Amino acid sequence: MPDHLPEVYTDFRRRFGEVARSQDALAAAVDAAGPLDERTTRLVKLGIAVGAQAEGAVRSNVRKALAAGASVEEVEQVVLLGMTTRGFPATVAAWQWLNEVVGERA
């Protein structure tokens, strides 16, 4: 598994392998259920993660959006869009997480 995955996540997947595989299958089915391409799906999921102020999900979806072809500028805009819905503190927190992920890639 990639280095950036938290130990608690990898431990959970090892302990509950069947549950983790079922979750993976559900996620794949949900992603494939509509017309959105992977890049768009990742940007939408990033917006949801920003709204939930879910650090791990923000980081994960920044990585996945960039891997799916989204530009850093597109990812930044998704985070910025959270300002008027989620508020300044949540947006700044997500901005920090985004910049840490982008910094890891450099």
Side-chain angles (χ1 to χ4, degrees):
M1 290 193 182
D3 292 337
H4 57 264
L5 295 176
E7 185 176 349
V8 67
Y9 174 81
T10 57
D11 288 350
F12 183 91
R13 289 188 65 85
R14 275 192 291 276
R15 171 68 178 90
F16 301 104
E18 186 175 337
V19 172
R21 286 187 296 278
S22 295
Q23 172 65 30
D24 293 345
L26 176 60
V30 169
D31 287 354
L36 298 179
D37 61 20
E38 183 180 0
R39 182 186 144 282
T40 305
T41 298
R42 289 299 162 194
L43 291 171
V44 170
K45 287 185 174 190
L46 173 58
I48 294 166
V50 170
Q53 204 169 2
E55 179 179 355
V58 169
R59 290 175 182 277
S60 176
N61 282 291
V62 166
R63 286 184 189 96
K64 290 176 181 179
L66 293 171
S71 68
V72 171
E73 292 80 12
E74 290 171 318
V75 172
E76 288 175 330
Q77 184 179 7
V78 169
V79 170
L80 187 59
L81 288 168
M83 178 89 59
T84 57
T85 304
R86 187 59 173 94
F88 186 78
T91 301
V92 171
W95 179 260
Q96 176 183 348
W97 303 328
L98 175 160
N99 282 300
E100 289 170 358
V101 169
V102 170
E104 291 168 2
R105 293 171 39 104

